[in-house]
Amino acid sequence: RLRGVQMILQALVQYYEALLARGEIDRPGWSKVNVSWRLDLNPDGSLFDVSPLQKPSPNGKKMLPQQLAVPAQVKRSSGVAANFLCDTSSYLLGVDDKGKPERTKACFEASREKHLEILKDTPGEAAAAVRAFFDTWNPPSAVEHPALQPYLSEIYKGGNLIFYYNNKPAANDSDIAAAWQQAYDSASDSDTPTRCSVTGRLAPAARLHGNIQGVRGAQSSGASLVSFNADAFCSYGHEQGENAPVSTYAMTAYTQALNYLLRSDNVRRIGDVTVVYWVENADPAIAAFAGAMLFGPQEQSDWSENDILGAIQKLVSGRTADLQDMHLSPDTHFYILGLAPNAARLSVRFFWQDTFIKLAKNVNAHYERLEITRPSYEKFDTLWPYTLARSAVRFSKDWKKADEELQKSFPRLSGDLLTSILNDTRYPATLLNGTVQRIRAEHDVTWARASVIKAYYSKNEDPLCPKEVLTVSVNKESTNIPYNLGRLFAVLERTQKAANPNINTTIKDRFFNSASSTPSLVFPTLINLAQKHLAKLNEGQRIALDKSIGELSDKLGETFPKQLMLAEQGAFQLGYYQQRQEYFKKKADTTKQKEEA
C-alpha cells in the first residue's frame, strides 16, 4: 500500500516540475488560495478600506472567491497556527463570532508575532505598512471600525482576507516576497534532514501534509492524502509524517500539482470518484485528448467520436496519431488517479500509469467487447464508461438525477468499471447485477444494457453464456437454447403487435421476466396465444411469422427448460435484443429501398 502511494506521489512531483518548467504553477513556498476580502492599508498601517473580492459564478447564482497566489499556508488541525499575509478574520483582525475570545486573541497574537518576525528587517513602504498595522491594530475596537463594520457579518461566515497596499496584494511586493521566501527556505533548512521516500534525497521531512481541495464529497476546506493522526497509524515511536518521510519539497510539490489538476479541465467526477489525469510533459491538450479516449469528448471539445476512435486505432498499431496541432506518440506516458472522500482524508480508489499504446489497446479491447447492433435512433456510436454505468440505474434524461441515483445505489461501480477498463481485467459484478435488475424492473433490453451483457460475458467467461451468442448481430446458426428462447420471445411479441397494432400492454410487459427465468411455465401459453394472433394476419405476414416460430421451435426441441440461470438469462436477453434489432434493420432497409425507388 505504501509503495502504491509512493508511486502516486512520485508521479505528481514529476508533474509539478513539468508544470514549473512551463510556468503554469507557483514556485515552492507559494500556492493559490481562495480569497474573499481585501484589507487596504495606509502607509501608517491604518485600515482605510475593506472590500469583497468575490465574483459571480458562471450561472450568476452565487458569489465565488478569487484564486490568488499567496505565501504557502500552514496545515491547521485544532491548534493555533498563523499564515502570512492571507488568513481568516481570527488571525488578521482578532475578531470572529465563534464565542471563544481567548482563542481568538491567541490567533491574532500568533499572526502578529509571525508578521513582525518575517518583516522585521524588510525594506519598503508595503512592509512598513504591514508592521505598523500589527503594532497599532486594536482587536477589541475592530467591530466599530467604519471600513470594517458594514461587512462584519459576511466576514464572520468564513473566507480568507488578504492585505493590500497601493492597490495591489502586499504579497506581490518584491521586498515582502523575498522576505517570505527566505523565511520559508530557512525554516525548512533548520529541520533535521531525512531520506525522502519520494525523491530519495536527504531533506527536511514534512510533519503535516497540505490539504487537497476539490474532491467531491470531501470537506470543503480540504482533506489529506497522507496523514498519521492516530496511534494505530504510527510505529517505532515516530509521530505524524515521520512514519513515512516525505520531504517538505515533495509534499509542497505533490499538493500543488494535485490541487492544480482538481482546478483544471482534466478532471471528471463519476459516481463517488473524482478522477484526474495528466501526461508526463504536462501538456493539457494531450491530457484532455487522453481523457476523451476514456470518457468521450466534452461538450466544448473540437474532437468528434470519429477523431477519438481513429486515434485509438493508430495508437493500437504503434503509430503516432496526428490530430489538429497535436502529435500523440504511442510512447507518451499517461497517468490517471481516482480519489474518493473518507472523513478528513482521501481514499485512493485507483491509480494507473502506462504508455498511450497500452491505454489505447485496453480501451479498444473494451469497445470491441461492447460492439453490438446499434438502434438507428441512437445519436452516438460509442457507449462511454459513465453512460455504461448508468445502465445499472433507472433511466433519466436528467444526468444529475441519474448521477445521484448511481452514487446512492452503486457508489463504487463507476470507479470499479474504469479500473477494469484501464487494466483490461474482469468487469465488476455490480455492473451486471445492476443492469439485470433494471431489465427486470422495466422489461426493456436497451442498447446499453445489451452491450453490458455482451461485454461482461465476453470478458468474464461463463459456459452458460457461450461465445456463439456474444455476436454483434443475431446469430441464426446458434443452437443455444436460452439464446433462441429470447429470439422466439421477440418473434411472438412481433406477432402480437402485428395482430393488435394499437395494443398498449404486450407479452413483454406481462411475461418477460418469467419467460427469461422459468420458460416452461410461460412459453406453451405464449405459443398457443400466437396461433390466435396469426389467424388475424394477412397471408404474407402469417406465413413469414409462422415460419420463424417453426424454425426456432425446431431448435428448442419438444420441451422447454424449467429454469434458466443468470448467465443463461443473459443469453436470452441478447437473443431477444438482437432479434428485435433484426426486424428494425429490415424495416429500415425496406424504407431506404422505397425512398431510392
Side-chain angles (χ1 to χ4, degrees):
R1 179 178 175 85
L2 287 175
R3 174 60 182 162
V5 174
Q6 184 184 40
M7 290 172 62
I8 295 170
L9 300 190
Q10 286 174 338
L12 286 169
V13 169
Q14 291 170 4
Y15 180 64
Y16 168 83
E17 291 172 346
L19 288 172
L20 204 59
R22 295 171 65 96
E24 295 181 12
I25 202 167
D26 302 302
R27 62 191 183 279
W30 299 78
S31 62
K32 282 190 169 61
V33 173
N34 289 331
V35 185
S36 300
W37 305 90
R38 58 184 278 183
L39 306 174
D40 284 271
L41 303 180
N42 284 313
D44 63 359
S46 59
L47 179 65
F48 76 87
D49 190 31
V50 177
S51 55
L53 289 174
Q54 299 102 320
K55 292 184 176 180
S57 61
N59 59 17
K61 292 184 178 180
K62 57 182 179 180
M63 301 297 288
L64 301 177
Q66 283 193 46
Q67 284 261 330
L68 298 179
V70 302
Q73 301 208 310
V74 298
K75 176 70 179 288
R76 284 199 284 252
S77 52
S78 57
V80 173
N83 290 313
F84 186 60
L85 298 177
C86 178
D87 216 323
T88 63
S89 64
S90 303
Y91 286 89
L92 292 192
L93 300 174
V95 293
D96 57 39
D97 63 350
K98 298 177 182 178
K100 297 180 179 179
E102 291 302 319
R103 189 183 189 283
T104 304
K105 180 180 179 181
C107 290
F108 178 76
E109 288 301 321
S111 182
R112 178 179 181 275
E113 181 179 345
K114 183 167 192 170
H115 284 81
L116 294 179
E117 173 61 27
I118 292 175
L119 299 176
K120 62 182 178 182
D121 298 320
T122 305
E125 292 183 1
V130 174
R131 286 196 302 267
F133 171 83
F134 281 101
D135 283 333
T136 59
W137 183 255
N138 182 25
S141 62
V143 294
E144 299 175 0
H145 196 287
L148 188 60
Q149 203 171 34
Y151 301 108
L152 269 179
S153 60
E154 290 298 315
I155 288 174
Y156 285 164
K157 292 179 182 179
N160 286 316
L161 303 89
I162 189 170
F163 288 121
Y164 262 63
Y165 182 78
N166 198 19
N167 205 35
K168 67 178 182 180
N172 291 2
D173 179 81
S174 59
D175 292 324
I176 290 180
W180 162 251
Q181 197 68 54
Q182 182 179 359
Y184 178 83
D185 294 340
S186 62
S188 299
D189 292 340
S190 65
D191 295 333
T192 303
T194 187
R195 185 70 63 183
C196 176
S197 60
V198 176
T199 65
R201 298 191 290 265
L202 284 172
R207 287 174 57 81
L208 295 176
H209 289 231
N211 278 341
I212 307 301
Q213 296 179 315
V215 175
R216 181 162 64 181
Q219 295 179 357
S220 58
S221 59
S224 296
L225 184 60
V226 179
S227 68
F228 302 85
N229 64 345
D231 292 340
F233 308 139
C234 302
S235 59
Y236 298 101
H238 294 306
E239 295 182 357
Q240 296 174 328
E242 295 173 353
N243 288 276
V246 176
S247 65
T248 302
Y249 168 77
M251 182 277 292
T252 301
Y254 90 74
T255 301
Q256 289 201 41
L258 191 47
N259 280 322
Y260 177 91
L261 281 167
L262 288 163
R263 294 192 302 267
S264 73
D265 292 330
N266 293 341
V267 57
R268 302 287 180 102
R269 293 172 175 85
I270 52 176
D272 70 334
V273 183
T274 298
V275 181
V276 293
Y277 43 91
W278 66 98
V279 291
E280 58 187 336
N281 63 357
D283 188 314
I286 293 178
F289 188 83
M293 289 166 60
L294 273 172
F295 305 110
Q298 300 200 54
E299 290 183 5
Q300 69 274 20
S301 173
D302 295 328
W303 309 310
S304 66
E305 286 188 51
N306 289 335
D307 290 334
I308 296 168
L309 298 176
I312 289 175
Q313 293 304 317
K314 288 183 179 180
L315 291 168
V316 165
S317 63
R319 292 177 292 159
T320 297
D322 294 323
L323 193 68
Q324 297 174 1
D325 295 330
M326 291 190 303
H327 303 285
L328 308 174
S329 168
D331 297 325
T332 299
H333 270 76
F334 174 72
Y335 306 83
I336 182 167
L337 173 65
L339 300 171
N342 181 16
R345 297 182 192 79
L346 298 178
S347 172
V348 176
R349 254 328 144 69
F350 60 84
F351 176 63
W352 189 90
Q353 58 175 333
D354 214 313
T355 58
F356 265 11
I357 188 172
K358 185 67 173 179
L359 174 67
K361 284 182 176 179
N362 290 354
V363 169
N364 187 60
H366 164 69
Y367 290 141
E368 286 182 346
R369 288 191 291 268
L370 283 178
E371 191 175 353
I372 197 168
T373 303
R374 177 179 63 88
S376 58
Y377 56 79
E378 289 288 350
K379 296 179 180 179
F380 303 103
D381 295 327
T382 308
L383 287 164
W384 308 108
Y386 180 59
T387 307
L388 210 60
R390 286 182 63 205
S391 66
V393 298
R394 182 169 40 198
F395 174 77
S396 174
K397 292 182 179 179
D398 187 332
W399 280 69
K400 186 176 181 181
K401 287 184 179 179
D403 189 36
E404 289 173 353
E405 185 168 348
L406 187 60
Q407 288 189 63
K408 180 181 178 182
S409 303
F410 303 99
R412 294 185 62 101
L413 173 56
S414 299
D416 292 343
L417 172 60
L418 193 57
T419 303
S420 69
I421 296 169
L422 289 167
N423 295 303
D424 194 22
T425 54
R426 293 169 63 90
Y427 294 108
T430 47
L431 177 64
L432 178 70
N433 294 339
T435 301
V436 170
Q437 287 176 18
R438 293 321 309 165
I439 292 175
R440 289 173 178 167
E442 300 175 16
H443 314 125
D444 190 17
V445 185
T446 63
W447 174 43
R449 291 166 185 165
S451 298
V452 166
I453 294 169
K454 177 178 177 290
Y456 184 88
Y457 287 113
S458 296
K459 188 65 179 178
N460 305 26
E461 295 181 8
D462 191 313
L464 297 180
C465 190
K467 291 186 181 298
E468 68 179 87
V469 309
L470 303 174
T471 51
V472 175
S473 57
V474 65
N475 181 3
K476 296 179 181 180
E477 305 303 318
S478 173
T479 58
N480 182 266
I481 299 296
Y483 181 74
N484 285 307
L485 280 170
R487 290 183 60 201
L488 176 58
F489 191 87
V491 175
L492 296 176
E493 181 190 23
R494 184 174 179 81
T495 304
Q496 182 189 35
K497 285 186 175 181
N500 305 282
N502 298 320
I503 192 171
N504 293 322
T505 303
T506 68
I507 60 172
K508 181 185 75 170
D509 303 303
R510 296 182 59 191
F511 299 107
F512 187 86
N513 288 345
S514 52
S516 63
S517 57
T518 53
S520 63
L521 298 179
V522 178
F523 272 94
T525 301
L526 295 179
I527 290 177
N528 288 335
L529 186 63
Q531 298 308 310
K532 298 177 182 179
H533 293 149
L534 287 170
K536 299 179 182 180
L537 302 179
N538 61 48
E539 186 178 1
Q541 288 178 309
R542 184 172 64 254
I543 292 174
L545 289 169
D546 191 40
K547 181 181 178 182
S548 296
I549 294 173
E551 289 176 348
L552 289 169
S553 296
D554 290 342
K555 290 176 179 284
L556 297 171
E558 297 182 357
T559 60
F560 295 102
K562 291 183 178 180
Q563 186 175 10
L564 297 183
M565 304 302 289
L566 183 62
E568 292 174 312
Q569 291 177 36
F572 179 100
Q573 290 153 359
L574 286 174
Y576 171 77
Y577 174 83
Q578 291 181 342
Q579 185 65 42
R580 290 193 71 207
Q581 295 308 312
E582 184 73 7
Y583 286 136
F584 294 143
K585 179 183 176 183
K586 287 181 179 178
K587 183 177 180 181
D589 291 344
T590 302
T591 304
K592 184 178 179 181
Q593 289 172 5
K594 289 181 178 180
E595 290 175 349
E596 290 175 349

